[in-house]
Structures are given as structure tokens and as C-alpha cells.
Amino acid sequence: MQTSEATHADSSDVRRQVARRRSFAIISHPDAGKTTLTEKILLYAGAVAEAGAVRARRNRRAVVSDWMEIERDRGISVTATVLRFTHGGTIFNLLDTPGHRDFSEDTFRVLSAADSAVILLDAAKGIEEQTLKLFQVARARGLPLITFVNKLDRPSRDPLELLDEIEQTLGLEPVPLTWPVGTHGNFEGVVDRVRSAFVRYRRSAGGATMALEEVTAQGSLSAADGPSWVEAQDQLSLLDAVRPRLDSEAFLSGRETPVFFGSAISNFGVRLLLDALHEHAPPPGARIASDGRERDLEDGFSGFVFKIQANMNLRHRDRVAFVRVCSGHLRADMRATNARTGKQVTLAHAQELFGRERESLSEAFPGDVIGLVNSPGLRIGDTLYAGDPVEYPALPVLAPERFAVVRNRDMSRYKQFRRGLAELELEGVVHVLRRADRGDQEPILAGVGDLQFDITRQRLETEYGAMVDLEPAPFRVARRTDAAGVRALDGARGVAIAERADGTQFALFESTYHLERVAAAHPGVALESIVTG
Ligand code: G4P
């Protein structure tokens, strides 16, 4: 039991530490420049000495282990990581999200651990399909959003037109805090509207080190400074009339988004974005528990598991649970309780994460993400707490849209097949559903995209030594149902009932037509599209 003095000292410490923290994610359509921007943010924060280090490290690691061959072969990012770095006294936790749409469910969970997000747009393309989808997820989570328009060094769309698109398509009021000067392939710099200054950039060799910046008071520039400047000035007068300044409350409630312009590859505009994350992105706030009550930030330690990654390093065969700290002061000598099982969890092996690298951690505060290595019995969505019990709501999952039957090819490897499937399901790689009449012989893999199946197959083979056959299953859409639904839908045409290992029942439909017909014929039956638990 702590003395009241110690508790008091601890809670003011927690408040101070919370104020220093910013936990954010970057969301974008693949190829908009997320990896590049991430590297450049790290460069400006001093977390890497030269840009290119993250990518180089990533490639080197890919060579020494065959972890995620698919990632390497197809040049896509599958595994989300966490990057923790300190800049100007602020501790940032950057939660990386996989860009490919087939991993939207993973992104969905990662965003539940962030307090804000950067939406990254390609200036030539504006809002693309995946940007929109991820934006909807971020909005559903109530995250404040900062927009970064990238690749201004190349011919791009009119910035005013891009603002309109943000407003029309996303329903967000964009408020540019910087404005580009000299677009269309002749990007000179940005006006910092908050400080009324023009920042002119010069590129460093290969963009590996910070860009050179020359800052001039906006008022000292005139028509003599060239046509780009005249054009920018006209646009700025228009903006001053219609979008004068960011309303902090409107930003935090997701109605306004501050907009920044830049070129990640040449480092233009990156520093101003990092400053904005420090200034505008919210620190962690109190989270709402399942019973609807807020868990105060200064209460005992609590957090939830939003991601599990097994076998990150094949030689170690370990399993890392990523925990977002929600309240309290976590110390490595503590034990926590898993709210679902009531079992004790030791925090002695808590790790601080930087991509795939990790270091022992002695303490953590709300907003931090820690890795618990080889902590048995943890599942995605589990709440851990010390002190007063608390449980956070289950992480929602997206209703599956793709289905495949998986069969074990070699009966002597049946145990490995079952174990592999069970572990990959716990990691959230894919849902594994079983029909009452086929059971474990022919489980159905269900997910948002086919790449989830490719990864399941590849990991079953390389990590568990189980060779499998995959065959498309005749379903197009799934809905969560309940025991009454199972009884009502028994024998209905074009519907199959399948159960997940945790007992969740799914109705699988051969087409949306079947779904609509069944929904009309059984209006009282539960058919939920966003599945919880
Ligand atoms: P992603 O993670 O969002 O998928 O994007 P990534 O950073 O990998 O960038 C996608 C491509 O866009 C890369 O080119 C990258 O160099 C380029 N890029 C990123 N930011 C900018 C920018 O500000 N301006 C310009 N002009 N290009 C940018 P690539 O040819 O696919 O790869 P690489 O050979 O350059 O590595």
C-alpha cells in the first residue's frame, strides 16, 4: 500500500509526464510517402542522424531473416511498428500503420492506441481510395487530424482545389497553417501563416540531412520577389478572409484540420509539421472504460493490448504484445492483472520499441506504447490494470469480406497446423471460423483482403512447418449474429453459420442479395457489420 504522500507525488508526476506525450499515427494511401515522411520526422527529431537509416535498417534486417517475405517481395508494409522518440522535451510515440487496404483491420486497432493522426496526401492525387477509408476509421475513433500535403516538389494540383476536396470529400474544414510558394515543380518554400514568415528552402544533398532554411518576415516581401510570390500572396489574402486561423476546440473535436504543405523527400515543411505535432496534437486524455466511467490518468496503471506480433525474429521465436498505457505510472517491478482472465501479468520484461529494435524499459506513462515479450495468455483487446479494476471496451473488428477454406496437406503436421492457425488468429492476422459439420478439418479463413490469406499460408509454412491448400469459399459477406440468429437462420438458403474460437457466431452469405433477403425475412435477427469482441 502506498502512503498518501507517495501517491500525491506520483500523481503530479503522471500529470507532468502526460503533458509531455504525443502519440500519433500517419495514415495514407500507399505511395503517398509515409515511409519517407516517417524517416524525415525522425531526422528532424534527431532520432536518426541521416535519413535513409530506417529504410536501410529495414532492408538489412529483411536480408538476415526471412521474416515477412511478402513484405520484401511486394514492397508493401505489412507489419506495423512503433517508433518512440523525444524532441524538444516532448516524447512522441509514432504508431506506424500498414498502408495496404487488406490490413485495414490492423490499422483500425493501431488507431485505437493513438491520440491523433496525420493524414498524408500526395499533392498530385489528393484524396485516394485508401485515404478515405482510413480517414473514416480515424473519424470513427474521434481522432483529431492534421493534414500534410506531400510531393509539392513535383507538378501538383492547385492547393486551393485540394482544400476544397478535403472539405467536400472528408467533411473536414481545412485550415492551412502553411502555404506553398512556387508549386508546379518549382517549390520554393512555404509561408508560415501563424508566424507571418516566409521559409525558403534549399535542398541538402539527396535529402539525407536537414534542408537549409532562410526565414524572412512576410511583410518584407513584394512583387519584386517574383511571380510565385505574387500568386501566393493573392491566395493568402483569400485564405485570410475565409480561413483565418485554427480553432483549437474545432480541431480537437474533429471538425477542423490544420493543413501543412511540403516535400518529404527534400525535407521541405517537415520541421513545421513536427512543431505542429508538439503544439497542436493533444496529449493523452482519460479513457472511457466498458462501464462508461472515465479512468483518471492519475489512477493506477492500466492499458490495453492493441496488437500482437509473433516471431518478429525467427531465431528468437518470440511473441510481443503491444500495450497502450492509458493511466498511471507503470514500473517494471509491478504486476498487473489481466481483466479478462483475472491472471497476474509481470511487467518486468516491458520493452521500449523503436521499429523492430527494443530496449528494456523501467517505467512508462499514459500515451506510451510498451512491448511485453512472451507474456502468455494475452489476447488483442485485453485490459491490464494495477490498483482499482478497470476494463476497456473490446476493440471492434471489421466484418470479413473475403473467405477461403484452408486444408492441412500433411496429416503428420496436423498439430502444427492447428497451433499455427490458433496463434495467427490470436495475433489478429485472420479470423478462423468453423462450421459445425466440418469443424477443424476445413476451417474458413475470413478477412478484409486476400493478402491476409497469403500471409497466413506463408507463415504457417515458414513458422510452423504446416503445408496448406487454400481454396476460395463461396461467401461474400459476413455478419455477426447470436444464438437466436443461429436458430432462425438454420437451413436458410445461401447462408452458413460458422463460429470463431471465442464463441462469436457469424452468418456467412453467398451474396449481398442473400443477406438482404434474409434480413428482410428475419427483421428481428442480429446481423452486425462492425463486429465487437
Ligand atoms: P509509402 O510508405 O506511403 O508507400 O511511400 P514511400 O515513402 O515509400 O514513397 C513512395 C514513393 O514516393 C517513393 O519513390 C518515394 O521516394 C517517393 N516520395 C516520397 N515523398 C516524396 C516527395 O516529397 N517528393 C517526391 N517527388 N517523391 C516522394 P519510389 O520511386 O517508389 O521509391 P525510391 O526508389 O525513391 O525509394
Side-chain angles (χ1 to χ4, degrees):
M1 193 84 178
Q2 286 175 310
T3 65
S4 62
E5 209 177 313
T7 309
H8 181 73
D10 220 29
S11 64
S12 67
D13 201 25
V14 169
R15 275 198 297 276
R16 224 165 12 92
Q17 294 291 347
V18 165
R20 295 175 64 199
R21 275 161 172 79
R22 304 287 182 276
S23 299
F24 71 102
I26 304 178
I27 53 180
S28 65
H29 193 84
D31 264 356
K34 186 155 65 71
T35 312
T36 311
L37 181 65
T38 301
E39 279 177 354
K40 301 312 175 80
I41 286 177
L42 296 178
L43 173 73
Y44 274 78
V48 297
E50 269 196 16
V54 176
R55 204 184 287 256
R57 253 205 307 261
R58 194 214 270 174
N59 292 344
R60 199 172 61 226
R61 191 138 298 128
V63 173
V64 295
S65 86
D66 58 354
W67 162 252
M68 280 300 148
E69 252 171 69
I70 292 181
E71 204 172 50
R72 196 185 51 206
D73 293 351
R74 305 191 192 177
I76 54 169
S77 123
V78 172
T79 45
T81 55
V82 176
L83 297 156
R84 178 190 159 105
F85 57 92
T86 305
H87 178 59
T90 301
I91 297 172
F92 291 91
N93 286 289
L94 198 176
L95 311 181
D96 188 17
T97 54
H100 199 285
R101 80 165 288 285
D102 286 11
F103 307 108
S104 304
E105 202 163 273
D106 203 11
T107 302
F108 208 61
R109 292 188 286 256
V110 170
L111 289 180
S112 69
D115 297 314
S116 60
V118 172
I119 300 191
L120 175 65
L121 303 180
D122 181 327
K125 297 186 175 151
I127 291 159
E128 298 174 81
E129 188 200 333
Q130 185 65 357
T131 333
L132 185 59
K133 190 153 184 171
L134 292 169
F135 161 76
Q136 284 158 348
V137 171
R139 168 162 271 186
R141 302 231 66 96
L143 295 180
L145 300 160
I146 296 175
T147 305
F148 187 82
V149 182
N150 191 29
K151 305 199 187 182
L152 261 291
D153 58 296
R154 286 213 303 226
S156 33
R157 285 171 51 190
D158 179 352
L160 285 171
E161 189 189 306
L162 287 168
L163 293 187
D164 278 347
E165 187 171 280
I166 293 170
E167 188 162 8
Q168 301 303 326
T169 316
L170 305 185
L172 269 178
E173 177 94 18
V175 182
L177 296 193
T178 67
W179 193 251
V181 177
T183 50
H184 315 299
N186 178 33
F187 185 35
E188 294 171 27
V190 295
V191 168
D192 176 342
R193 289 183 73 212
V194 178
R195 293 169 193 85
S196 303
F198 173 50
V199 185
R200 187 190 296 280
Y201 295 109
R202 257 187 305 129
R203 218 185 142 144
S204 64
T209 55
M210 292 190 226
L212 303 171
E213 296 181 14
E214 187 189 292
V215 183
T216 319
Q218 197 178 337
S220 65
L221 293 161
S222 67
D225 287 284
S228 298
W229 177 252
V230 175
E231 189 189 3
Q233 231 174 2
D234 285 348
Q235 294 167 332
L236 282 162
S237 337
L238 188 72
L239 289 177
D240 287 344
V242 293
R243 304 181 202 277
R245 65 183 64 82
L246 184 72
D247 175 327
S248 164
E249 195 272 320
F251 161 62
L252 294 176
S253 61
R255 283 179 285 124
E256 286 189 3
T257 177
V259 182
F260 293 82
F261 292 87
S263 157
I265 205 146
S266 22
N267 302 339
F268 295 5
V270 177
R271 182 177 57 78
L272 288 167
L273 175 68
L274 187 57
D275 290 349
L277 281 161
H278 165 78
E279 242 170 81
H280 300 289
R287 293 246 164 179
I288 312 277
S290 304
D291 60 9
R293 285 192 298 181
E294 270 190 3
R295 174 83 164 187
D296 278 347
L297 291 162
E298 297 108 58
D299 276 354
F301 158 72
S302 71
F304 64 91
V305 178
F306 66 94
K307 179 178 171 63
I308 289 181
Q309 188 79 65
N311 303 330
M312 272 169 107
N313 183 334
L314 270 183
R315 279 174 308 178
H316 296 302
R317 295 238 159 225
D318 56 6
R319 185 168 176 269
V320 182
F322 292 67
V323 177
R324 148 84 196 213
V325 179
C326 299
S327 69
H329 179 181
L330 176 152
R331 293 181 316 272
D333 59 0
M334 282 169 49
R335 281 172 156 263
T337 304
N338 181 340
R340 180 177 55 82
T341 60
K343 296 219 167 94
Q344 293 284 293
V345 178
T346 167
L347 303 174
H349 305 298
Q351 306 276 307
E352 176 180 325
L353 305 158
F354 190 86
R356 285 183 199 156
E357 296 179 1
R358 43 200 202 220
E359 263 174 34
S360 297
L361 167 147
S362 56
E363 60 174 4
F365 292 92
D368 285 340
V369 172
I370 58 162
L372 292 180
V373 183
N374 293 337
S375 192
L378 289 183
R379 280 195 199 160
I380 288 180
D382 278 354
T383 298
L384 304 181
Y385 68 84
D388 289 340
V390 63
E391 184 156 21
Y392 293 107
L395 297 181
V397 301
L398 304 174
E401 297 163 17
R402 293 277 197 283
F403 305 86
V405 174
V406 57
R407 286 193 195 85
N408 175 38
R409 226 188 274 163
D410 174 359
M411 280 320 281
S412 70
R413 309 287 299 169
Y414 187 63
K415 237 169 63 188
Q416 287 81 348
F417 167 72
R418 283 192 57 170
R419 202 183 112 225
L421 273 185
E423 289 191 7
L424 294 177
E425 182 174 30
L426 279 186
E427 266 186 54
V429 173
V430 74
H431 297 280
V432 183
L433 310 178
R434 291 170 182 85
R435 288 165 288 186
D437 55 340
R438 325 260 170 106
D440 258 345
Q441 300 305 320
E442 287 185 7
I444 297 174
L445 302 184
V448 177
D450 293 339
L451 263 175
Q452 287 177 268
F453 304 153
D454 293 349
I455 283 177
T456 304
R457 182 219 301 267
Q458 190 226 325
R459 292 189 59 188
L460 281 173
E461 290 177 1
T462 55
E463 294 169 27
Y464 299 93
M467 306 302 279
V468 299
D469 290 319
L470 285 178
E471 188 184 292
F475 307 110
R476 293 286 166 273
V477 54
R479 291 289 181 265
R480 176 189 161 121
T481 189
D482 52 19
V486 171
R487 282 193 300 276
L489 302 182
D490 186 31
R493 268 192 44 188
V495 191
I497 299 292
E499 185 176 314
R500 212 167 53 177
D502 65 358
T504 308
Q505 301 280 358
F506 285 87
L508 312 182
F509 298 89
E510 289 179 14
S511 66
T512 45
Y513 162 75
H514 284 98
L515 166 62
E516 283 160 14
R517 223 185 46 178
V518 164
H522 303 274
V525 162
L527 294 168
E528 294 162 19
S529 61
I530 298 244
V531 181
T532 308

